[in-house]
Amino acid sequence: CRARCGNHGIVPSLSKINGKSSSSRSVYVWVGNSETQCPGLCEWPFHQAANGPPSPVLVAPNGDAAMDGVVINLASLLAGAVTNPFGDGYFQGPKEAPLEAGSACPGVFGKGSHPGFAGDLLKDDKSGASYNANGIKGRKFLVPGLFDPATSTCSTVG
């Protein structure tokens, strides 16, 4: 476990446009396998937390805790890649260790969240799964809160 569920960054690239060489930067997002890479961190709240107070493990909305963990990590990293793609966009704190839109709100999924408690969430009556976002064809997801600079708080969808 490397204490990271994924990251985003930039890759310099060379390309030819109209026969002329051009250098540019491409943004990437990488998310690891939550089942094998730090499940207590990357799969929480669908896995017992690696640190902090013990709390009940939630039922994953799509029946696969590892993939639902990937959804959470991907959503947070995409928010960071969009708002701070080249390391000079929106972030708080030092540039070497920035808190971004998603990383400023770890473990925040619903109202009343605190360490070890994901917050007040919707619950699927049939499966018992916890979620805060509805997708197409009845799919349910748990997506992380994002920092809202207008209110200086973590904002959630649920």
Side-chain angles (χ1 to χ4, degrees):
C1 180
R2 295 184 180 160
R4 290 188 82 144
C5 302
N7 65 3
H8 74 85
I10 55 173
V11 176
S13 59
L14 292 174
S15 60
K16 284 196 170 191
I17 300 173
N18 294 331
K20 293 184 178 184
S21 292
S22 171
S23 64
S24 62
R25 300 181 289 180
S26 297
V27 178
Y28 72 88
V29 172
W30 171 85
V31 177
N33 179 342
S34 297
E35 185 173 30
T36 59
Q37 182 181 340
C38 308
L41 176 67
C42 303
E43 207 173 291
W44 187 85
F46 310 122
H47 187 282
Q48 189 62 48
N51 301 318
S55 61
V57 173
L58 301 181
V59 176
N62 292 291
D64 185 335
M67 284 312 297
D68 280 309
V70 167
V71 167
I72 290 169
N73 298 315
L74 181 60
S76 180
L77 288 162
L78 282 174
V82 167
T83 58
N84 189 24
F86 303 117
D88 57 0
Y90 172 78
F91 64 90
Q92 302 174 64
K95 191 171 188 169
E96 302 77 38
L99 287 177
E100 298 178 322
S103 62
C105 301
V108 175
F109 298 97
K111 289 180 177 38
S113 64
H114 55 78
F117 177 62
D120 294 326
L121 301 170
L122 299 169
K123 195 168 229 173
D124 183 274
D125 293 333
K126 196 175 188 181
S127 67
S130 298
Y131 67 100
N132 62 3
N134 290 294
I136 60 171
K137 296 185 181 181
R139 300 286 294 228
K140 294 171 174 53
F141 298 95
L142 186 62
V143 295
L146 300 176
F147 186 78
D148 180 351
T151 62
S152 294
T153 61
C154 294
S155 179
T156 60
V157 296

